[in-house]
Amino acid sequence: MPGWQGLQFAASAQVTGVLVDGTSVWAMTRDKLTRIDAATGRQRRELDVNDTASLYPVDLSVAGREQFTVVAEDGTRDEPPVRGIG
């Protein structure tokens, strides 16, 4: 299936969040948020997570152009459960 090859990078890095945004898929790992073109599987953009890492799966949503909201119920240690990236 075209497009899924790009997710292999993240599978070894423990994907904690996935978001479909138009023709792209964003995959969040513990240290990066990566945009993957769904048609080609190529990585198009990579953003640092910057202290929003979670040990457990998160809800990831778009808050604006290259701005995201991360909601984590557990595993955030001293961080608040809702954080922003961007």
Side-chain angles (χ1 to χ4, degrees):
M1 181 178 343
W4 290 105
Q5 301 89 339
L7 289 178
Q8 290 177 353
F9 84 97
S12 63
Q14 184 182 356
V15 174
T16 57
V18 176
L19 169 68
V20 176
D21 183 22
T23 61
S24 297
V25 175
W26 288 90
M28 182 175 165
T29 62
R30 294 170 105 191
D31 62 345
K32 299 285 182 198
L33 182 62
T34 304
R35 180 178 155 215
I36 301 163
D37 185 285
T40 65
R42 293 183 184 193
Q43 294 180 30
R44 296 293 182 193
R45 184 83 166 103
E46 190 171 78
L47 304 171
D48 288 324
V49 172
N50 295 332
D51 298 325
T52 58
S54 177
L55 299 175
Y56 301 100
V58 300
D59 288 329
L60 183 62
S61 61
V62 175
R65 187 177 180 338
E66 293 196 5
Q67 295 181 332
F68 303 88
T69 302
V70 177
V71 179
E73 293 184 38
D74 297 311
T76 59
R77 292 181 220 111
D78 296 332
E79 298 176 38
V82 178
R83 302 174 306 274
I85 299 174

